PDB file of all heavy atoms in Angstrom:
ATOM      1  N   ASP E 365      29.100 200.931 108.007  1.00  0.00           N
ATOM      2  CA  ASP E 365      30.462 201.264 107.538  1.00  0.00           C
ATOM      3  C   ASP E 365      31.125 200.037 106.892  1.00  0.00           C
ATOM      4  O   ASP E 365      31.746 200.120 105.835  1.00  0.00           O
ATOM      5  CB  ASP E 365      31.347 201.733 108.706  1.00  0.00           C
ATOM      6  CG  ASP E 365      30.905 203.089 109.235  1.00  0.00           C
ATOM      7  OD1 ASP E 365      30.107 203.757 108.536  1.00  0.00           O
ATOM      8  OD2 ASP E 365      31.346 203.464 110.345  1.00  0.00           O
ATOM      9  N   VAL E 366      30.992 198.879 107.571  1.00  0.00           N
ATOM     10  CA  VAL E 366      31.631 197.646 107.064  1.00  0.00           C
ATOM     11  C   VAL E 366      31.018 197.256 105.723  1.00  0.00           C
ATOM     12  O   VAL E 366      31.739 197.016 104.744  1.00  0.00           O
ATOM     13  CB  VAL E 366      31.476 196.496 108.091  1.00  0.00           C
ATOM     14  CG1 VAL E 366      31.895 195.163 107.476  1.00  0.00           C
ATOM     15  CG2 VAL E 366      32.282 196.787 109.355  1.00  0.00           C
ATOM     16  N   THR E 367      29.699 197.233 105.666  1.00  0.00           N
ATOM     17  CA  THR E 367      29.064 196.796 104.413  1.00  0.00           C
ATOM     18  C   THR E 367      29.306 197.830 103.307  1.00  0.00           C
ATOM     19  O   THR E 367      29.374 197.469 102.125  1.00  0.00           O
ATOM     20  CB  THR E 367      27.552 196.527 104.599  1.00  0.00           C
ATOM     21  OG1 THR E 367      26.974 197.667 105.214  1.00  0.00           O
ATOM     22  CG2 THR E 367      27.308 195.315 105.450  1.00  0.00           C
ATOM     23  N   GLY E 368      29.496 199.096 103.698  1.00  0.00           N
ATOM     24  CA  GLY E 368      29.831 200.142 102.714  1.00  0.00           C
ATOM     25  C   GLY E 368      31.166 199.840 102.035  1.00  0.00           C
ATOM     26  O   GLY E 368      31.297 199.979 100.809  1.00  0.00           O
ATOM     27  N   VAL E 369      32.139 199.394 102.814  1.00  0.00           N
ATOM     28  CA  VAL E 369      33.445 199.045 102.220  1.00  0.00           C
ATOM     29  C   VAL E 369      33.265 197.873 101.257  1.00  0.00           C
ATOM     30  O   VAL E 369      33.802 197.872 100.148  1.00  0.00           O
ATOM     31  CB  VAL E 369      34.480 198.681 103.324  1.00  0.00           C
ATOM     32  CG1 VAL E 369      35.767 198.174 102.692  1.00  0.00           C
ATOM     33  CG2 VAL E 369      34.742 199.862 104.244  1.00  0.00           C
ATOM     34  N   LEU E 370      32.489 196.885 101.674  1.00  0.00           N
ATOM     35  CA  LEU E 370      32.279 195.718 100.800  1.00  0.00           C
ATOM     36  C   LEU E 370      31.595 196.149  99.501  1.00  0.00           C
ATOM     37  O   LEU E 370      31.983 195.739  98.411  1.00  0.00           O
ATOM     38  CB  LEU E 370      31.477 194.642 101.532  1.00  0.00           C
ATOM     39  CG  LEU E 370      32.187 194.010 102.734  1.00  0.00           C
ATOM     40  CD1 LEU E 370      31.254 193.064 103.482  1.00  0.00           C
ATOM     41  CD2 LEU E 370      33.447 193.252 102.303  1.00  0.00           C
ATOM     42  N   ARG E 371      30.585 197.035  99.634  1.00  0.00           N
ATOM     43  CA  ARG E 371      29.880 197.536  98.434  1.00  0.00           C
ATOM     44  C   ARG E 371      30.876 198.238  97.504  1.00  0.00           C
ATOM     45  O   ARG E 371      30.888 198.009  96.293  1.00  0.00           O
ATOM     46  CB  ARG E 371      28.790 198.513  98.882  1.00  0.00           C
ATOM     47  CG  ARG E 371      28.019 199.174  97.737  1.00  0.00           C
ATOM     48  CD  ARG E 371      27.432 200.511  98.169  1.00  0.00           C
ATOM     49  NE  ARG E 371      28.475 201.392  98.674  1.00  0.00           N
ATOM     50  CZ  ARG E 371      28.332 202.218  99.721  1.00  0.00           C
ATOM     51  NH1 ARG E 371      27.194 202.293 100.381  1.00  0.00           N
ATOM     52  NH2 ARG E 371      29.345 202.983 100.123  1.00  0.00           N
ATOM     53  N   ASP E 372      31.775 199.071  98.090  1.00  0.00           N
ATOM     54  CA  ASP E 372      32.748 199.811  97.266  1.00  0.00           C
ATOM     55  C   ASP E 372      33.650 198.863  96.481  1.00  0.00           C
ATOM     56  O   ASP E 372      34.221 199.239  95.462  1.00  0.00           O
ATOM     57  CB  ASP E 372      33.633 200.700  98.148  1.00  0.00           C
ATOM     58  CG  ASP E 372      32.844 201.832  98.773  1.00  0.00           C
ATOM     59  OD1 ASP E 372      31.683 202.038  98.358  1.00  0.00           O
ATOM     60  OD2 ASP E 372      33.378 202.493  99.693  1.00  0.00           O
ATOM     61  N   HIS E 373      33.828 197.646  96.997  1.00  0.00           N
ATOM     62  CA  HIS E 373      34.688 196.666  96.312  1.00  0.00           C
ATOM     63  C   HIS E 373      33.866 195.648  95.517  1.00  0.00           C
ATOM     64  O   HIS E 373      34.395 194.613  95.114  1.00  0.00           O
ATOM     65  CB  HIS E 373      35.602 195.962  97.319  1.00  0.00           C
ATOM     66  CG  HIS E 373      36.673 196.854  97.841  1.00  0.00           C
ATOM     67  ND1 HIS E 373      36.454 197.766  98.850  1.00  0.00           N
ATOM     68  CD2 HIS E 373      37.965 197.014  97.453  1.00  0.00           C
ATOM     69  CE1 HIS E 373      37.564 198.433  99.079  1.00  0.00           C
ATOM     70  NE2 HIS E 373      38.491 198.001  98.244  1.00  0.00           N
ATOM     71  N   ASP E 374      32.578 195.943  95.370  1.00  0.00           N
ATOM     72  CA  ASP E 374      31.716 195.080  94.570  1.00  0.00           C
ATOM     73  C   ASP E 374      31.589 193.667  95.163  1.00  0.00           C
ATOM     74  O   ASP E 374      31.507 192.672  94.433  1.00  0.00           O
ATOM     75  CB  ASP E 374      32.305 194.994  93.143  1.00  0.00           C
ATOM     76  CG  ASP E 374      31.199 194.873  92.127  1.00  0.00           C
ATOM     77  OD1 ASP E 374      30.037 195.107  92.503  1.00  0.00           O
ATOM     78  OD2 ASP E 374      31.510 194.506  90.969  1.00  0.00           O
ATOM     79  N   ILE E 375      31.624 193.609  96.493  1.00  0.00           N
ATOM     80  CA  ILE E 375      31.517 192.300  97.172  1.00  0.00           C
ATOM     81  C   ILE E 375      30.125 192.212  97.786  1.00  0.00           C
ATOM     82  O   ILE E 375      29.749 193.070  98.584  1.00  0.00           O
ATOM     83  CB  ILE E 375      32.590 192.172  98.274  1.00  0.00           C
ATOM     84  CG1 ILE E 375      33.988 192.241  97.657  1.00  0.00           C
ATOM     85  CG2 ILE E 375      32.401 190.878  99.074  1.00  0.00           C
ATOM     86  CD1 ILE E 375      35.113 192.347  98.671  1.00  0.00           C
ATOM     87  N   SER E 376      29.373 191.155  97.407  1.00  0.00           N
ATOM     88  CA  SER E 376      28.014 191.091  97.958  1.00  0.00           C
ATOM     89  C   SER E 376      27.937 190.041  99.071  1.00  0.00           C
ATOM     90  O   SER E 376      28.632 189.023  99.046  1.00  0.00           O
ATOM     91  CB  SER E 376      26.988 190.851  96.850  1.00  0.00           C
ATOM     92  OG  SER E 376      27.082 189.534  96.431  1.00  0.00           O
ATOM     93  N   LEU E 377      27.073 190.366 100.041  1.00  0.00           N
ATOM     94  CA  LEU E 377      26.968 189.518 101.240  1.00  0.00           C
ATOM     95  C   LEU E 377      26.009 188.360 101.025  1.00  0.00           C
ATOM     96  O   LEU E 377      24.976 188.520 100.391  1.00  0.00           O
ATOM     97  CB  LEU E 377      26.423 190.360 102.392  1.00  0.00           C
ATOM     98  CG  LEU E 377      27.412 191.258 103.104  1.00  0.00           C
ATOM     99  CD1 LEU E 377      26.711 191.999 104.237  1.00  0.00           C
ATOM    100  CD2 LEU E 377      28.555 190.426 103.663  1.00  0.00           C
ATOM    101  N   GLU E 378      26.386 187.230 101.626  1.00  0.00           N
ATOM    102  CA  GLU E 378      25.499 186.067 101.607  1.00  0.00           C
ATOM    103  C   GLU E 378      24.730 186.031 102.933  1.00  0.00           C
ATOM    104  O   GLU E 378      23.542 185.800 102.969  1.00  0.00           O
ATOM    105  CB  GLU E 378      26.369 184.820 101.400  1.00  0.00           C
ATOM    106  CG  GLU E 378      25.850 183.516 101.920  1.00  0.00           C
ATOM    107  CD  GLU E 378      25.179 182.698 100.825  1.00  0.00           C
ATOM    108  OE1 GLU E 378      25.472 182.947  99.645  1.00  0.00           O
ATOM    109  OE2 GLU E 378      24.364 181.838 101.178  1.00  0.00           O
ATOM    110  N   SER E 379      25.458 186.243 104.054  1.00  0.00           N
ATOM    111  CA  SER E 379      24.785 186.202 105.360  1.00  0.00           C
ATOM    112  C   SER E 379      25.566 187.022 106.375  1.00  0.00           C
ATOM    113  O   SER E 379      26.752 187.336 106.170  1.00  0.00           O
ATOM    114  CB  SER E 379      24.683 184.759 105.864  1.00  0.00           C
ATOM    115  OG  SER E 379      25.968 184.301 106.237  1.00  0.00           O
ATOM    116  N   MET E 380      24.888 187.368 107.462  1.00  0.00           N
ATOM    117  CA  MET E 380      25.559 188.107 108.537  1.00  0.00           C
ATOM    118  C   MET E 380      25.001 187.643 109.878  1.00  0.00           C
ATOM    119  O   MET E 380      23.782 187.476 110.015  1.00  0.00           O
ATOM    120  CB  MET E 380      25.316 189.593 108.375  1.00  0.00           C
ATOM    121  CG  MET E 380      26.171 190.423 109.304  1.00  0.00           C
ATOM    122  SD  MET E 380      25.885 192.163 109.063  1.00  0.00           S
ATOM    123  CE  MET E 380      24.408 192.347 109.982  1.00  0.00           C
ATOM    124  N   ILE E 381      25.902 187.397 110.840  1.00  0.00           N
ATOM    125  CA  ILE E 381      25.445 187.033 112.192  1.00  0.00           C
ATOM    126  C   ILE E 381      26.123 187.995 113.155  1.00  0.00           C
ATOM    127  O   ILE E 381      27.346 188.182 113.090  1.00  0.00           O
ATOM    128  CB  ILE E 381      25.899 185.615 112.619  1.00  0.00           C
ATOM    129  CG1 ILE E 381      25.656 184.582 111.524  1.00  0.00           C
ATOM    130  CG2 ILE E 381      25.275 185.192 113.917  1.00  0.00           C
ATOM    131  CD1 ILE E 381      26.217 183.192 111.877  1.00  0.00           C
ATOM    132  N   GLN E 382      25.349 188.585 114.063  1.00  0.00           N
ATOM    133  CA  GLN E 382      25.965 189.370 115.138  1.00  0.00           C
ATOM    134  C   GLN E 382      25.647 188.644 116.432  1.00  0.00           C
ATOM    135  O   GLN E 382      24.508 188.257 116.675  1.00  0.00           O
ATOM    136  CB  GLN E 382      25.398 190.782 115.159  1.00  0.00           C
ATOM    137  CG  GLN E 382      26.045 191.609 116.255  1.00  0.00           C
ATOM    138  CD  GLN E 382      25.654 193.079 116.185  1.00  0.00           C
ATOM    139  OE1 GLN E 382      25.289 193.584 115.132  1.00  0.00           O
ATOM    140  NE2 GLN E 382      25.737 193.749 117.320  1.00  0.00           N
ATOM    141  N   ARG E 383      26.684 188.467 117.256  1.00  0.00           N
ATOM    142  CA  ARG E 383      26.529 187.635 118.452  1.00  0.00           C
ATOM    143  C   ARG E 383      26.474 188.490 119.712  1.00  0.00           C
ATOM    144  O   ARG E 383      27.461 189.140 120.070  1.00  0.00           O
ATOM    145  CB  ARG E 383      27.762 186.732 118.600  1.00  0.00           C
ATOM    146  CG  ARG E 383      27.697 185.504 117.782  1.00  0.00           C
ATOM    147  CD  ARG E 383      27.007 184.377 118.547  1.00  0.00           C
ATOM    148  NE  ARG E 383      26.652 183.313 117.626  1.00  0.00           N
ATOM    149  CZ  ARG E 383      25.458 183.203 117.057  1.00  0.00           C
ATOM    150  NH1 ARG E 383      24.505 184.049 117.336  1.00  0.00           N
ATOM    151  NH2 ARG E 383      25.199 182.227 116.218  1.00  0.00           N
ATOM    152  N   GLY E 384      25.350 188.491 120.425  1.00  0.00           N
ATOM    153  CA  GLY E 384      25.205 189.040 121.782  1.00  0.00           C
ATOM    154  C   GLY E 384      25.836 190.394 122.008  1.00  0.00           C
ATOM    155  O   GLY E 384      26.155 191.143 121.088  1.00  0.00           O
TER     156      GLY E 384
END
Side-chain angles (χ1 to χ4, degrees):
D365 291 346
V366 169
T367 52
V369 174
L370 294 174
R371 177 205 56 219
D372 292 349
H373 289 81
D374 214 13
I375 298 171
S376 74
L377 280 181
E378 154 98 21
S379 71
M380 190 179 80
I381 314 175
Q382 181 172 336
R383 277 272 166 265

